[in-house]
Amino acid sequence: NINPVKDKNVLLKPNFNTADPFPGSTHNDTLINLILHLKKMGAKGITIGERSGPPDTADVMKGKGIYELCKKYDVGLINFEELPSDQWVKIKPKESHWNDGFYVAKPVIDSECIVSTCCLKTHGYGGVFTMSLKLSVGVTHKKNMTELHTSFRSMKKMIAEINQAYNPSLILLDAIEAFTDGGPARGTRKKADVIIAGTDRIAIDAVGIAILKELGSNKAIMERKIFEQEQIARAVELGLGVSKPEDIEIVTDDEDGNKYAARLLEILSKG
């Protein structure tokens, strides 16, 4: 019974890092059904906004058929990579591991309602996992990526710090399938058959890691407690959401869901 999108212009942020098949990128079926549901919830308008990388964003959107999708479902589209320099806002948090802050697309800063949809996957290049917190890398300028990708000791903290720039009103984590190792574009694929929705990025990612643990994942996931993962620990320090497993509530609508939620809550409680 949460409806943060009614009568709002929604900026919809997917995972189009590359055009690789789901869960390498947001599944078009998920995107279409989310668009239809947001319209049913009373959204005034919907605009997809994204920056991909390393591939060019336009090539990724073309590869995924996003231009045709937007036309068919009457949805706007902003390629952040094509924004002029005056459409970027420098964010310089007081407490940050970024040398001189980072740039965020102005449509994100100006948006009255942001809905994000992420995938469930491990990340083989330094992030450990990529869900709702790491999705925010796609709202930053491409020129910030050199610093992020070369800051091996601080990378996970820097990912969390990007999230200070905005607050999503709704987050959808598509875990129908997941990468339990490898990622972000390709990896070991397992079926979880679950979709998680919520309003708290830390809670979403913590539950996502619990799902990975339940499926059986790599050492970086299995051998570290959930709230000790650096992305999550730094996000907690910054007050971006829940601070401990006990703060997380999982609401389901059937008995199978209740049983699954109980397993996830047990994993969360044990870390």
Side-chain angles (χ1 to χ4, degrees):
N1 297 318
I2 295 173
N3 188 347
V5 308
K6 186 174 175 61
D7 298 324
K8 301 281 183 65
N9 287 307
V10 174
L11 180 66
L12 178 54
K13 169 69 173 75
N15 183 334
F16 292 163
N17 196 52
T18 66
D20 289 280
F22 175 80
S25 65
T26 296
H27 199 297
N28 282 18
D29 288 353
T30 298
L31 189 64
I32 290 166
N33 281 282
L34 180 55
I35 288 167
L36 293 174
H37 198 71
L38 291 173
K39 289 186 175 185
K40 187 177 178 181
M41 291 169 71
K44 188 190 300 182
I46 302 169
T47 300
I48 293 172
E50 175 66 309
R51 175 189 64 76
S52 308
D56 289 338
T57 306
D59 291 341
V60 172
M61 289 181 174
K62 183 179 179 181
K64 287 187 63 63
I66 300 304
Y67 295 106
E68 295 85 357
L69 185 153
C70 287
K71 186 176 181 180
K72 181 176 180 180
Y73 294 97
D74 190 25
V75 170
L77 181 63
I78 303 175
N79 177 346
F80 295 153
E81 194 171 351
E82 295 177 348
L83 291 175
S85 58
D86 64 354
Q87 288 297 299
W88 291 92
V89 179
K90 188 173 185 178
I91 305 294
K92 197 172 180 180
K94 290 181 180 179
E95 299 180 25
S96 175
H97 291 79
W98 291 85
N99 289 328
D100 192 35
F102 49 88
Y103 286 87
V104 171
K106 194 171 185 291
V108 174
I109 303 297
D110 292 344
S111 178
E112 63 178 347
C113 181
I114 296 173
V115 174
S116 61
T117 181
C118 48
C119 304
L120 178 65
K121 48 187 178 177
T122 51
H123 195 289
Y125 303 109
V128 177
F129 59 92
T130 172
M131 299 178 215
S132 70
L133 288 167
K134 197 169 189 309
L135 191 72
S136 297
V137 173
V139 308
T140 63
H141 199 287
K142 215 164 191 175
K143 65 184 178 184
N144 294 127
M145 293 303 96
T146 299
E147 181 183 356
L148 182 66
H149 291 153
T150 56
S151 302
F152 300 110
R153 292 184 177 181
S154 303
M155 185 187 298
K156 303 172 196 70
K157 296 183 178 73
M158 293 164 73
I159 290 165
E161 289 163 0
I162 295 169
N163 287 271
Q164 296 175 94
Y166 74 102
N167 288 305
S169 299
L170 185 64
I171 306 152
L172 187 81
L173 171 62
D174 184 348
I176 299 298
E177 293 186 46
F179 288 153
T180 56
D181 195 18
R186 299 173 183 84
T188 303
R189 189 188 304 264
K190 290 186 181 180
K191 287 184 71 68
D193 283 326
V194 62
I195 286 179
I196 304 291
T199 58
D200 185 311
R201 286 165 286 188
I202 297 175
I204 290 285
D205 283 17
V207 172
I209 296 173
I211 294 170
L212 289 177
K213 285 178 176 283
E214 204 264 348
L215 291 172
S217 189
N218 60 28
K219 288 184 177 181
I221 295 294
M222 302 302 291
E223 295 183 0
R224 175 167 286 194
K225 290 189 174 183
I226 294 170
F227 275 75
E228 290 177 1
Q229 291 285 352
E230 284 186 86
Q231 280 189 57
I232 290 180
R234 182 61 177 143
V236 169
E237 288 176 353
L238 296 169
L240 295 177
V242 297
S243 60
K244 55 186 183 299
E246 293 77 21
D247 294 337
I248 298 174
E249 180 185 20
I250 303 177
V251 180
T252 70
D253 61 359
D254 60 28
E255 188 57 35
D256 287 341
N258 289 336
K259 291 177 181 177
Y260 185 61
R263 294 204 303 274
L264 296 181
L265 287 170
E266 183 180 4
I267 293 169
L268 282 163
S269 68
K270 292 179 178 177

